[in-house]
Every structure is written in C-alpha cells, then in structure tokens.
C-alpha cells in the first residue's frame, strides 16, 4: 500500500467492551511487523487553567495539562499501525485496519466538560449514550494495553500531533494514578512507556514552509482524510499518512534526532529549544 490509501480500502474497526480482547489479540500479532503507531485521542476539552507563578510557558502548559487530565475522562482513542514505508496491516481481511476504542467512563450528564468540545464531538458522530452502555472499561483496556507489546517496547515508534494531552490520558490509564507533579516526572514515565515518540507539531518547526494544525498540514502535503474529522480513528490515520509523507519529503526518511519532544512541553535551554 502507498502512504495515501483510498477510502474504500480502509476499515476503521470500532472497539467496544464485547470485542476488546479479540481486537487486542489482532494487535499483539501485528505490532512486530507494523511498529509505527499513530495515535490520537478525543477528550472533554480543557476546563481548568492554573493560577500562580510558573518558571516558563512549558511549566504553565504542563500544569494546565495535568489539572485537566487528572480531572477529566478519556472518550475515544484511535490507533493506526504501519511499517516504516507506511504500509498498513490487513489482519487477514481484504481491507487495511485502523482501530477506534470507545470508552464508557465519560457521562455528559454527570461529568465536567468544555461545551464546545462536546458539541463538536457530538456533531462528528460520537454517541455518548452508546459509549456509556457498550464502551470499553478503562481498567480492562489498561490491563490489555500493558501486555500488548505496544508500550514498554523500544522497537515501537509512536507518531502523534501536538500530543501532550494524548500521552497524558494514556499515562493516567496505564498507571491508574494522577499525573506526576513535575514535567521531569511526567517525561520519566513517557520514556518508560513510550521510549520512541514523534510529535509532528515539533517536527514542523524544522520545515520552513509548513504551519497550522493537522488538517492544514495534511492539505499542504496533499494527504486526503479518510473517515470523519474529530473521530480518533480517522485522525490517527491522517496522522500516520502525514508523518510518512513528512518523513520522506523533509527528513530524508530519518527524523530520529527530533524524537522524544512533545510540542509545548519540556525545559527551554539556552538556544531556545525545548529539551526533556
């Protein structure tokens, strides 16, 4: 498969509580051959802003992330697996597979959320009632994720776009705890669970002509979206295809030296670059 699949060739596999174990079995079987994992999450927006004095904008960004992730609940997770050339798995079917996990914990009748975020997700087709009734249990998901081979694995490359919150929610699931108080504690956990990661928003800083969000970047690189915008499966696929094109066009296939940095987080050094 080229890095630009056709929509009819893609199957976004909806994952609910009833098929969670089966889908993880498929994932365990493919991760060695498709070790690039593009990831996106949907969550209830940003509802808190910390007050006080902060050492830097990175510190403020982290405290904002921590306050919101600790309070709120994950709604959806999308994962797209590929090899180094952008080929996707078929898992014995006639279509390329992308996974979309729907979680049950969030309840708009009980939980805090940002109105505009939930309105946007509703308009994008997310059915909160169905999620609550049939969705994946976060606890069950984290157990299967721990033994899946996709975390704690040096051979896996996580591919994301402006993904501090995405990793924050996954760490909260994996550790069953609130996020660490400091960025250094946060990045220590990141390096354990997700040893190799790329944040496309960080990579774009080294590509003079590129700017904007994921949709704008995909448009600039002529990558077509498949599926529904603001649903995690489609967004993870767009992230995957965009990364593969960016990797070839701007980094000669080797973006390794830019790995490990999450856009907007880190500690600014004397050169103005953020490091972790």
């Amino acid at each position: 498969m080229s890095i630009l699949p056709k929509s009819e060739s893609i199957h976004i596999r909806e994952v609910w509580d009833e098929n969670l174990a089966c889908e993880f079995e498929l994932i365990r079987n493919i991760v060695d051959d498709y070790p690039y994992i593009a990831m996106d999450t949907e969550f209830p927006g940003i509802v808190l802003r910390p007050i006080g004095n902060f050492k830097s904008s990175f510190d403020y960004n982290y405290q904002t992330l921590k306050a919101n992730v600790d309070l709120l609940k994950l709604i959806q997770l999308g994962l797209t697996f590929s090899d180094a050339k952008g080929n996707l798995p078929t898992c014995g079917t006639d279509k390329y597979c992308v996974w979309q996990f729907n979680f049950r914990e969030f309840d708009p009748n009980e939980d805090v959320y940002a109105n505009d975020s939930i309105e946007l997700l509703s308009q994008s087709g997310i059915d909160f009632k169905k999620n609550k009734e049939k969705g994946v249990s976060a606890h069950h998901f984290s157990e299967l994720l721990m033994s899946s081979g996709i975390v704690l694995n040096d051979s896996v490359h996580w591919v994301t776009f402006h993904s501090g919150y995405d990793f924050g929610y996954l760490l909260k699931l994996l550790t069953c705890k609130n996020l660490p108080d400091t960025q250094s504690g946060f990045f220590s956990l990141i390096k354990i669970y997700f040893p190799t990661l790329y944040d496309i928003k960080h990579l774009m800083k080294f590509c003079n002509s590129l700017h904007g969000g994921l949709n704008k970047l995909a448009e600039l690189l002529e990558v077509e979206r498949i599926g529904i915008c603001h649903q995690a499966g489609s967004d993870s696929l767009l992230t995957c295809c965009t990364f593969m094109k960016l990797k070839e066009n701007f980094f000669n296939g080797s973006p390794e030296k830019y790995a490990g940095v999450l856009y907007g987080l880190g500690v600014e050094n004397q050169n103005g670059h953020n490091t972790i």
Side-chain angles (χ1 to χ4, degrees), residues 155-196:
S155 302
V156 162
H157 309 259
W158 288 84
V159 175
T160 59
F161 189 96
H162 202 169
S163 53
Y165 282 82
D166 299 325
F167 284 113
Y169 280 104
L170 280 190
L171 282 179
K172 181 183 171 184
L173 282 184
L174 287 162
T175 62
C176 302
K177 292 178 183 173
N178 285 344
L179 294 182
D181 291 333
T182 64
Q183 282 196 88
S184 59
F186 175 76
F187 279 111
S188 293
L189 288 177
I190 288 282
K191 285 177 175 175
I192 292 167
Y193 288 98
F194 311 101
T196 305

Side-chain angles (χ1 to χ4, degrees), residues 10 20 63 146 249:
I10 296 288
L20 179 65
Q63 293 305 325
M146 280 292 282
N249 290 7

Side-chain angles (χ1 to χ4, degrees), residues 41-46 73-76 117-118 121 165-166 169:
T41 64
E42 303 299 342
F43 52 87
I46 295 173
K73 295 167 183 172
L74 187 59
I75 295 170
Q76 206 176 57
S117 296
I118 294 307
L121 294 179
Y165 282 82
D166 299 325
Y169 280 104

Side-chain angles (χ1 to χ4, degrees), residues 17-174:
D17 194 53
E18 63 182 13
N19 65 333
L20 179 65
C22 300
E23 296 301 317
F24 260 114
E25 188 174 347
L26 291 177
I27 286 170
R28 284 194 298 273
N29 290 334
I30 62 160
V31 66
D32 289 344
D33 294 325
Y34 299 91
Y36 284 78
I37 307 175
M39 180 262 288
D40 181 73
T41 64
E42 303 299 342
F43 52 87
I46 295 173
V47 300
L48 296 175
R49 296 284 180 189
I51 54 173
N53 297 315
F54 302 94
K55 289 178 282 192
S56 66
S57 62
F58 294 133
D59 189 38
Y60 172 77
N61 289 344
Y62 178 69
Q63 293 305 325
T64 306
L65 183 157
K66 173 178 163 54
N68 284 278
V69 171
D70 286 352
L71 176 68
L72 304 175
K73 295 167 183 172
L74 187 59
I75 295 170
Q76 206 176 57
L77 169 73
L79 297 177
T80 297
F81 292 75
S82 71
D83 64 14
K85 294 181 178 176
N87 297 301
L88 307 188
T90 57
C91 299
T93 71
D94 60 353
K95 296 202 172 183
Y96 299 111
C97 300
V98 172
W99 280 267
Q100 183 162 278
F101 298 84
N102 302 284
F103 292 91
R104 69 165 63 158
E105 281 73 23
F106 175 71
D107 182 349
N109 298 317
E110 303 280 341
D111 295 318
V112 183
Y113 58 84
N115 278 319
D116 54 346
S117 296
I118 294 307
E119 206 171 291
L120 184 64
L121 294 179
S122 293
Q123 289 167 0
S124 301
I126 291 181
D127 183 340
F128 295 107
K129 185 169 180 287
K130 185 176 181 183
N131 280 15
K132 190 163 167 40
E133 290 169 0
K134 298 190 170 184
V136 169
S137 144
H139 181 69
H140 191 199
F141 174 85
S142 66
E143 286 181 340
L144 290 169
L145 185 62
M146 280 292 282
S147 59
S148 66
I150 70 174
V151 295
L152 309 163
N153 185 345
D154 290 339
S155 302
V156 162
H157 309 259
W158 288 84
V159 175
T160 59
F161 189 96
H162 202 169
S163 53
Y165 282 82
D166 299 325
F167 284 113
Y169 280 104
L170 280 190
L171 282 179
K172 181 183 171 184
L173 282 184
L174 287 162

